[in-house]
Amino acid sequence: MEHYERLEKIGEGASGVVYKARDRRTGATVAVKRLRGGGLGDHDGSRLSEDLLREAACLEACRGHPSVVELRAAHRDGAGGAFLVMEYVGPSVAQVMRERGRPFPEADARRLMRQLLDGARAMHDLGVLHRDLKPDNVLVDAHGDLKICDFGMSRFAAGGADTAPYTSPVVTLWYRAPELLLGSTEYDARVDTWALGCIMAELLAGAPLLPGRSEMDQLNRVFDTVGTDDMTDWPGFCRLPRAGSPLCQRSRPPSRLREMFPSLSAAGFDVLSGLLACRPDRRLTAAEALRRPWFTDAESPDADQPRSACGGRFTERVGGVADAIVV
Ligand SMILES: Nc1ncnc2c1ncn2[C@@H]1O[C@H](COP(=O)(O)OP(=O)(O)OP(=O)(O)O)[C@@H](O)[C@H]1O
């Protein structure tokens, strides 16, 4: 890590500490995330290597998309530390919202959601599930554009190279999709689009939509807010470990979402309610959401200025992230 001069600490979370740093060779400002290791059964650092490789591989797959933070390098050092070096972006949306202290107007929320959905669509096309989308994991750059970060919980969708079973305690509680709260281990990319629905609501309201205190309280809030949307008729429902919970049997009023966002346009509400469909099979994917009139309508001022590089391969790949790891 001698190539990097450590500046101030900019973040700390479950998986590591993030520092702002200067690349001594180029002068560029970067963000260096030092992954935490040393958990039980990690005497040789193998778990840390695995975590580093998974996070780096998912970031590397999405590299070059304008709405995903750019990975510059991944390292292990002799002292058992593991580091990811990324472009330095700026504060998180969570910080920006706290400082701003008021909701975003609909046109701004649409511009920001277009960027997030475009990043999610690209990552899902590549088979990457983020599994921890939330305002803390979305960064705002100097132009006010958004970049998704923290791929610490991400993985490749099953069926590709990664055959490990899915786990359900993923995604921070307030942004966790109902099927995850019900214990599903057969979910898909729509766990990310649920989280994006929660983020959209938060941008528009200026406060979290579903700030649950426990898993069961969270599920209760979900059902009370968006209704159960015939969740129990969903073909996968009976296989869910918590399908028998009394919370699922209780009758619920229809969705209250419209009352909560009375001034949102019909086209905006169409996207919000589509992302927050309780039943995963009725929930919009990122690609579907981007095709809704809120985004495609010619009257949308930003409709003809997509920022997306999605579609082709984005930019040159890092010269093999695994090769860059120094043990
Ligand atoms: N590339 C970056 N540029 C600027 N700030 C960053 C960057 N990457 C991370 N940060 C800051 O560091 C914080 C923590 O980073 P990150 O979410 O990757 O760590 P974590 O340990 O996984 O956190 P958590 O447990 O909260 O999910 C972010 O919320 C953000 O404020």
Side-chain angles (χ1 to χ4, degrees), residues 222-223 226-232 247-248 250 252-253 278-279:
V222 167
F223 288 160
V226 301
T228 59
D229 191 23
D230 299 329
M231 185 71 173
T232 50
L247 286 180
C248 302
R250 200 182 297 167
R252 305 279 176 168
C278 200
R279 263 180 71 157

Side-chain angles (χ1 to χ4, degrees), residues 131-134 137 153 170-176 218:
R131 305 197 303 174
D132 199 16
L133 290 173
K134 58 179 177 177
N137 289 342
M153 288 239 199
V170 291
V171 189
T172 302
L173 190 60
W174 296 356
Y175 304 90
R176 198 177 294 168
Q218 188 70 27

Side-chain angles (χ1 to χ4, degrees), residues 78-258:
F83 304 87
L84 292 173
V85 182
M86 299 164 280
E87 65 172 321
Y88 173 77
V89 182
S92 68
V93 165
Q95 281 168 271
V96 168
M97 283 199 290
R98 271 194 300 274
E99 276 156 31
R100 190 181 152 85
R102 60 183 198 287
F104 283 93
E106 182 171 339
D108 291 349
R110 179 173 51 203
R111 186 179 74 84
L112 301 176
M113 285 307 297
R114 185 200 299 281
Q115 295 179 3
L116 290 180
L117 285 162
D118 203 48
R121 172 176 62 177
M123 111 180 42
H124 295 160
D125 280 353
L126 293 159
V128 174
L129 310 183
H130 186 282
R131 305 197 303 174
D132 199 16
L133 290 173
K134 58 179 177 177
D136 290 292
N137 289 342
V138 175
L139 305 175
V140 186
D141 75 9
H143 308 286
D145 291 326
L146 302 186
K147 288 180 190 272
I148 297 168
C149 74
D150 191 3
F151 282 60
M153 288 239 199
S154 63
R155 63 164 287 164
F156 285 94
D162 193 344
T163 52
Y166 286 3
T167 46
S168 62
V170 291
V171 189
T172 302
L173 190 60
W174 296 356
Y175 304 90
R176 198 177 294 168
E179 64 273 25
L180 292 174
L181 293 165
L182 290 164
S184 173
T185 51
E186 293 175 9
Y187 51 84
D188 64 17
R190 281 172 284 199
V191 299
D192 284 343
T193 53
W194 172 273
L196 290 173
C198 296
I199 295 175
M200 177 174 169
E202 197 161 332
L203 292 171
L204 290 165
L209 178 70
L210 299 162
R213 290 182 297 267
S214 66
E215 286 200 327
M216 287 301 109
D217 179 48
Q218 188 70 27
L219 192 58
N220 214 16
R221 284 171 189 259
V222 167
F223 288 160
D224 275 346
T225 305
V226 301
T228 59
D229 191 23
D230 299 329
M231 185 71 173
T232 50
D233 294 337
W234 176 46
F237 181 78
C238 51
R239 290 198 301 275
L240 297 174
R242 296 197 181 130
S245 160
L247 286 180
C248 302
Q249 318 309 325
R250 200 182 297 167
S251 80
R252 305 279 176 168
S255 172
R256 292 195 297 119
L257 212 49
R258 195 48 169 140

